[in-house]
Amino acid sequence: MTKKFALIVSLIFLITLNTLAQEPSCGCNKKKATRENKYKCDTTLFSNGAKLYWQRNCDSTWLTFENKEKLILKSCEKIDVYECQRTGLDFLKEYPNYLLFQYKWISGCCTPPDIILIDKETGNEIKRINNDQFVWGDVHENYVLFFSDTTYTHLIYLNNETDKAYDLHFDNKQVKKSVIKNNVLQLNDLFNNFIVSRNNFKFDYKTSEGVVKNLKIEFN
């Protein structure tokens, strides 16, 4: 009798574990996560103790920033986190003075994103680099290259680690003429071959004369 009772308890325990393992870990259990498209509800912890995490129910998904208070940074009327991540706000990397995000206007290529810097303490937006100003960025090399405004006269190299900015001056309408001459769809198509060194940042630029110039921004 004792052995039979122990066997029944063991079976109940195993069935319970199996049931828990099959349930999604983040809320709604009406949709099964596939192997290629798992729900990403795990928490990202930042150096100051702040958190970033996904939540969802059977109607929507949302991205929450939490420090002293909670702030919803993004919400979608979709229950699939992966689908929600394909457009809109997307976290890239933590830096000493802010969190780096991109805002993807469409899924896939080839529209440049907005680049957004968010305060690590409050979750509020510090700076937004619109996609018509954005040239290039690299989270491994820790920089963003962009124009200060749509006059396109000051190209800025921002070092995300140090938060220092260095610039290169272009003549008025020089960049706009280059866009027309080279028949490019996006501003960033004028720029290529980015190289970061200790003292400067080099890149190729297609000029309004139809030639490629190698330019550099000095780190003074």
Side-chain angles (χ1 to χ4, degrees):
M1 186 73 178
T2 305
K3 289 183 179 180
K4 185 176 181 181
F5 177 76
L7 180 60
I8 292 171
V9 171
S10 298
L11 285 172
I12 292 172
F13 179 70
L14 288 171
I15 291 169
T16 303
L17 284 179
N18 187 51
T19 302
L20 290 173
Q22 289 179 358
E23 290 181 355
S25 60
C26 312
C28 177
N29 59 7
K30 290 185 178 180
K31 181 178 179 179
K32 186 177 179 181
T34 65
R35 185 175 182 181
E36 296 78 20
N37 187 17
K38 293 180 180 178
Y39 296 111
K40 299 177 181 177
C41 301
D42 50 313
T43 300
T44 301
L45 297 174
F46 300 117
S47 59
N48 65 340
K51 303 174 184 177
L52 185 70
Y53 52 87
W54 287 98
Q55 291 178 288
R56 67 180 178 83
N57 54 30
C58 293
D59 300 312
S60 60
T61 305
W62 60 97
L63 181 64
T64 301
F65 173 88
E66 181 181 345
N67 197 3
K68 295 176 182 178
E69 297 181 355
K70 292 182 180 180
L71 179 66
I72 295 176
L73 299 180
K74 174 185 180 180
S75 61
C76 303
E77 292 184 356
K78 299 173 182 177
I79 64 170
D80 193 318
V81 172
Y82 176 74
E83 287 186 33
C84 190
Q85 288 178 318
R86 293 176 69 180
T87 58
L89 200 65
D90 181 41
F91 172 66
L92 295 175
K93 193 171 182 178
E94 177 186 10
Y95 286 104
N97 295 330
Y98 46 74
L99 304 176
L100 180 68
F101 284 76
Q102 63 176 340
Y103 187 96
K104 296 180 286 188
W105 289 98
I106 63 171
S107 175
C109 96
C110 296
T111 298
D114 287 0
I115 299 298
I116 301 171
L117 310 182
I118 287 183
D119 190 292
K120 291 168 63 171
E121 297 296 326
T122 65
N124 294 325
E125 184 176 311
I126 300 171
K127 182 180 180 64
R128 178 182 289 254
I129 301 165
N130 293 326
N131 71 332
D132 57 353
Q133 298 166 241
F134 175 70
V135 175
W136 195 251
D138 192 322
V139 293
H140 302 294
E141 297 282 358
N142 303 308
Y143 73 85
V144 180
L145 187 68
F146 63 97
F147 281 95
S148 59
D149 54 42
T150 53
T151 63
Y152 304 115
T153 55
H154 284 89
L155 183 64
I156 309 294
Y157 174 97
L158 175 63
N159 184 318
N160 297 126
E161 288 283 3
T162 63
D163 205 21
K164 290 184 178 180
Y166 308 90
D167 72 330
L168 180 68
H169 177 75
F170 285 80
D171 292 337
N172 189 34
K173 297 185 179 180
Q174 180 181 349
V175 174
K176 291 181 179 180
K177 289 178 181 178
S178 295
V179 169
I180 296 170
K181 173 65 178 179
N182 293 282
N183 195 29
V184 295
L185 295 176
Q186 307 288 349
L187 175 72
N188 57 1
D189 291 334
L190 293 175
F191 302 85
N192 202 2
N193 298 327
F194 307 99
I195 301 174
V196 182
S197 67
R198 184 176 180 179
N199 299 315
N200 55 53
F201 174 72
K202 295 180 181 179
F203 57 93
D204 289 342
Y205 167 67
K206 296 178 182 178
T207 70
S208 56
E209 289 78 33
V211 298
V212 176
K213 269 189 179 181
N214 185 257
L215 303 179
K216 65 180 176 180
I217 299 175
E218 297 287 353
F219 300 153
N220 296 324

